[in-house]
Each structure stands twice: as structure tokens, then as C-alpha cells.
Amino acid sequence: MKNTTQKSNFLSTEDLQKLLCTNRNQENLTKEIAKFFDRLFPIMRSITGDGVRETIKILSELQQLECQETASGTQVFDWTVPKEWVFREAYITGPDGKKLLDVKDHTLHLLNYSAPFQGTLSRSDLDKHLYSLPEQPDAIPYVTSYYDERWGFCLPHKLRMAMPDGDYQILVDTEFVDGALTIGECVLPGESNDEVLISTNICHPSLANNELSGPLVTAFLARLVASWPNRRLTYRFVFLPETIGSLVYLAHFGDHLKAHVVAGYQIVCVGTDHPYLLKTSRQEQTLADRAAKTALKHLLDGDFEVRDFRADWGSDERQYCSPGFNLPIASILRSIYDEYPEYHTSLDDRSFISFSSMAETIQTCAFILQHLDNNRTYFSQVPHGEVQLGRRGLYPTLGNYQENLDQVSAMLWLMNLSDGNNDLISVAERSGCDIRLLHHFAKLFCEMGLLKEKIDG
């Protein structure tokens, strides 16, 4: 007698678990992140200077970055690239002849972009150049003065209050020179000229979460994307100083980005184990917003927060989303700027962050990018009525219907919405089906002749 049993095209329980598995051993990656962190943390960084170049050089060990230099004095929209800041050393010697503060001990001790100064001041005159936080007496604040020349030191308020009267010797050995602003860039070509922009900042010195976590996660993410055997989209990773850096980049490449960027993310404050937060783009329902929401929903079972775009709160997404560009750039965070007390203080140190969480964040960001890369639009080749799944081994037998219910649901929604107007993310949004299942069956259905990919143009 002829065997009429149809071969099943369902994913087995084991294969389904592999497809949906997110628990991976990150021990080696965690250790590697920690080693790079320890090399980068002590560097004196600012919006210009050798600290930025040294940072890019170290990150290039993970994925090669090309340096772009824009000369001091260059006009970029309503801004001007400032002179390059050169830092050598800075300290305060107390009335007892002992050093009270030395920037060698912590980069935050110096007002960032401080003008040069050398001289002797009384306690009261020196106090005009000191910055501390009375409400956080043990913390060193992070204070900057990029566009007004002044000098100063930052210190714990407890130490400031304990300083005796007398004369203090001050040395701030810095200099402003005609130099350049430096940006690091890596472009990973794909089959398409459509691009995904990933941006992060490299201007903060000795702050672990804000902002060393951003460039570390982004550099490791770039290395991971570079290892993909196939890329449909082109991925552009940029490492730049906040605000002035993104403005410079837009001045150079804004027209190209407007023509080619289909989605992008600013990666910032991703060093903690706090829940993920997505800050949407200015347009709020771009591909970047939709892809991240859908991916995070299925990866984290909804345990993340979404906040709307705000022009008065945020990072470089405000430049990318300014009306002249209006790029589809959202932000991915795990701590929210000034909503945690360690923000912009010396308390944002190695003990505040989690390297294992950063390893997880790299995989989470890659998960989002994979869904962008896999996102396609299809036409059903059997659009009249419901496709007969059973004779193709795509419908459960009597004993395993409930076990395969999610797979059946994904197949039926996929076939019903594949009319050339809905991409996979749209199908996932409307159906609630896991986008990984949708992508799996889309590939299978194309092989079986049930679907055909829509090719733009």
C-alpha cells in the first residue's frame, strides 16, 4: 500500500527553541568589553583633540574606523568648529605645598575645554573657579565650557568645604590651536544602497555609562554586523563628539543620508542592567521606530519603555531629526540621561555599569538590525482564498495542533497580508506573531512558490 503520509514542514520543538532562543553564553564577550573599557576610561576626551583620536584608534582594533578631520573655524550651519583643545597637565597645590587636586588622578577634576592658567590665588579668589555638588558631596561633577574661554576645576563638595585659607598654586597647562575635529566612521556595504545609520558619542572623559558604554556597544556591534555572511542593507557606524560632531557629519553627508538612510539609532547610556528604552524619531512611526518596537516586544516580552521624541531633551538624534534633515533616527538607551543621580559625575564609574548587560545589549541591537535586514514585502502567489496548508505538510495533524498553533497563526497571517503593501514588520505589528517565525516561513514559502518578494523599482 502506498504511504500517503505528508512530510511535515513544521519546525520541530527543538528547532523552534533554537529559532527563538536568546540565551547565549556571553562570558568571553563580557571579559573582552571589560578589557577595552579599562583602556579607554582614563583617556582625557573632549569634543576635539588627541583623546578623541586615541579613542578611535583603540576602537579600530574591534572594527576598522576611518578618521575624518574637519578644520577649526569651519562653518557648519549655525555653528563653527572650535579650535582644537590640547591638554597636558593640570593641578592645584595647597598652602601646605602638597597637591590638592591633580587631573592625573581623575580627568573630571578639570573643567573640560579649560583655558590655560598659571598663577597664585587666595582661597576666596580660587573658589570662583571651582565646581562642586552640595547635594552630592562625595562626587566630582562633569562640567564643560566648550564655547566660552574659562578655566576651572571640579572636586567633591566635601573637599571644597575643607580647603583652608591661604595661597594656592594653580597650573592649567592647556592650549587652543588651529587643528581639527575628528570623527570615526565605518561603512559596511550590503546588497542594497539603503542604509542604516548607527551613531554614538566619544567626547565624554571617564564616565562609564554616559558615555563610554555607547561607543563600546557600537564598536562591538559593528564587528558583529561585519561578520554576517550576507547583508541586504548597508550599515554606517559613526563615532563623533556630541552635537558639533553630528552637525559636522551632516554638513558633509546630509544629502547622502537623506537619500539613502531608511532607519537608524543613536546609542547612548547603555551600560546598566536597567530596562531598555526607545526614544522615537521625530516622525514617530518610521521603520526605525517600528522595527525596534517589534523586535523588543518579542525579545523582551514587552519589558521596555517607549518615549516620544523631544527636541529639548536627548542626544544627537535631535540633529539628525532637525527639520532640514528629518532622518528616521530613534535612540536606544538603558538609563535615561539625567534621571539617574550618577549622571555626569564621578559616581558614573566602573562599579555603576554591568559588562554582562552591555554584552546583552550588543546582541539586542543586533537582533533589531537583523529584523531590519530581513524585512521584506511579499506578494501571495495563491491570493484567491486560503492556501491549502495540509497537502504541503504545513497544517498540524490531530495530535499536535495546539503545539503548532503559533506556527499556523504566523503562516495564515503571512499569506493573508502578503498583498504587496505590507512588509514583515507590518505583519508582525498587526498579527502579534513573532517576526522570527514570519521570516522563517516567508523564506520557506518563497522556496515553495507560495510567495514572491516584491522588488522595488
Side-chain angles (χ1 to χ4, degrees):
M1 180 181 292
K2 184 178 178 180
N3 185 354
T4 59
T5 302
Q6 171 68 50
K7 174 183 177 294
S8 174
N9 283 301
F10 282 113
L11 288 164
S12 67
T13 301
E14 181 181 354
D15 288 339
L16 182 61
Q17 288 175 343
K18 287 180 181 178
L19 179 67
L20 304 182
C21 178
T22 57
N23 296 319
R24 300 185 178 98
N25 185 352
Q26 303 286 357
E27 183 178 352
N28 291 337
L29 179 58
T30 296
K31 291 178 180 178
E32 194 176 7
I33 296 169
K35 288 180 180 179
F36 274 88
F37 174 91
D38 289 340
R39 293 170 62 192
L40 291 164
F41 189 75
I43 296 173
M44 175 62 87
R45 278 178 292 273
S46 191
I47 57 174
T48 65
D50 286 340
V52 173
R53 297 185 186 97
E54 184 179 0
T55 299
I56 292 173
K57 182 179 179 181
I58 292 173
L59 293 174
S60 287
E61 296 174 22
L62 292 166
Q63 180 62 37
Q64 184 60 45
L65 303 177
E66 300 297 326
C67 280
Q68 301 173 5
E69 304 250 309
T70 301
S72 305
T74 302
Q75 191 72 26
V76 286
F77 310 118
D78 201 37
W79 296 63
T80 304
V81 176
K83 288 196 172 187
E84 184 174 325
W85 188 54
V86 178
F87 165 78
R88 299 184 185 91
E89 62 175 334
Y91 56 80
I92 299 175
T93 302
D96 59 0
K98 297 180 180 178
K99 283 186 180 178
L100 177 75
L101 288 182
D102 194 331
V103 177
K104 290 179 181 177
D105 297 329
H106 204 299
T107 61
L108 297 188
H109 274 315
L110 184 63
L111 173 72
N112 202 272
Y113 239 64
S114 183
F117 180 82
Q118 184 172 7
T120 302
L121 293 179
S122 66
R123 170 68 177 82
S124 59
D125 287 338
L126 174 59
D127 201 63
K128 301 170 187 175
H129 300 273
L130 300 181
Y131 303 89
S132 63
L133 299 170
E135 67 278 11
Q136 293 178 286
D138 295 312
I140 307 168
Y142 170 54
V143 185
T144 67
S145 184
Y146 297 139
Y147 301 103
D148 288 310
E149 285 197 20
R150 54 169 62 88
W151 66 269
F153 287 86
C154 304
L155 70 167
H157 193 69
K158 184 184 297 184
L159 177 59
R160 183 179 183 180
M161 293 297 98
M163 291 170 58
D165 290 335
D167 290 334
Y168 289 78
Q169 304 295 319
I170 293 95
L171 174 67
V172 181
D173 188 1
T174 60
E175 185 180 4
F176 298 112
V177 301
D178 288 324
L181 180 146
T182 309
I183 292 172
E185 179 191 56
C186 168
V187 178
L188 302 174
E191 299 169 4
S192 168
N193 290 326
D194 289 343
E195 294 188 6
V196 177
L197 173 66
I198 307 295
S199 177
T200 194
N201 302 129
I202 51 172
C203 50
H204 292 50
S206 303
L207 294 170
N209 188 44
N210 179 243
E211 181 47 51
L212 193 48
S213 68
L216 278 170
V217 165
T218 302
F220 276 94
L221 179 63
R223 184 179 72 173
L224 181 56
V225 174
S227 73
W228 291 356
N230 298 293
R231 288 185 297 271
R232 180 175 68 91
L233 301 172
T234 293
Y235 293 85
R236 181 181 296 266
F237 295 84
V238 292
F239 300 76
L240 37 71
E242 193 169 11
T243 305
I244 187 64
S246 55
L247 290 168
V248 166
Y249 198 78
L250 286 166
H252 288 309
F253 300 104
D255 289 341
H256 175 89
L257 299 179
K258 286 171 67 176
H260 295 285
V261 169
V262 296
Y265 302 97
Q266 175 75 13
I267 297 182
V268 57
C269 293
V270 286
T272 66
D273 59 0
H274 300 170
Y276 289 88
L277 181 137
L278 174 72
K279 180 186 175 186
T280 66
S281 69
R282 180 174 180 261
Q283 302 173 59
E284 295 187 342
Q285 286 298 320
T286 67
L287 181 60
D289 304 310
R290 295 169 51 233
K293 288 177 186 178
T294 303
L296 292 175
K297 175 184 176 181
H298 293 122
L299 184 67
L300 306 173
D301 196 26
D303 185 23
F304 66 98
E305 182 182 354
V306 177
R307 294 200 186 184
D308 293 338
F309 175 84
R310 281 178 52 180
D312 63 343
W313 175 82
S315 187
D316 279 343
E317 76 283 350
R318 296 181 300 171
Q319 314 311 322
Y320 299 128
C321 294
S322 58
F325 297 100
N326 200 22
L327 296 175
I329 308 298
S331 295
I332 297 173
L333 309 92
R334 295 195 71 167
S335 300
I336 308 167
Y337 309 125
D338 55 358
E339 292 185 17
Y340 60 96
E342 295 83 1
Y343 179 75
H344 277 196
T345 76
S346 58
L347 302 179
D348 184 359
D349 60 12
R350 198 182 200 273
S351 66
F352 179 64
I353 60 172
S354 166
F355 296 120
S356 61
S357 292
M358 290 171 67
E360 174 200 288
T361 301
I362 294 163
Q363 295 294 339
T364 299
C365 291
F367 186 78
I368 294 170
L369 298 188
Q370 284 170 340
H371 291 313
L372 282 169
D373 215 69
N374 290 333
N375 191 46
R376 290 167 170 82
T377 302
Y378 297 93
F379 286 102
S380 172
Q381 300 302 289
V382 282
H384 300 100
E386 187 174 295
V387 65
Q388 188 175 10
L389 298 175
R391 69 182 177 88
R392 297 177 172 87
L394 294 169
Y395 202 78
T397 58
L398 180 62
N400 61 4
Y401 180 82
Q402 199 64 36
E403 177 183 344
N404 294 309
L405 190 57
D406 287 347
Q407 296 188 55
V408 173
S409 180
M411 287 186 281
L412 292 175
W413 274 107
L414 176 64
M415 291 302 300
N416 185 273
L417 293 182
S418 290
D419 57 2
N421 297 311
N422 300 296
D423 59 17
L424 285 184
I425 291 174
S426 296
V427 178
E429 289 172 326
R430 184 165 179 183
S431 68
C433 297
D434 193 305
I435 196 168
R436 290 166 288 190
L437 275 177
L438 294 171
H439 177 245
H440 167 78
F441 284 116
K443 289 198 328 184
L444 177 63
F445 286 5
C446 283
E447 293 169 3
M448 300 176 73
L450 295 175
L451 290 180
K452 184 176 181 180
E453 183 181 348
K454 178 181 180 180
I455 306 298
D456 293 334

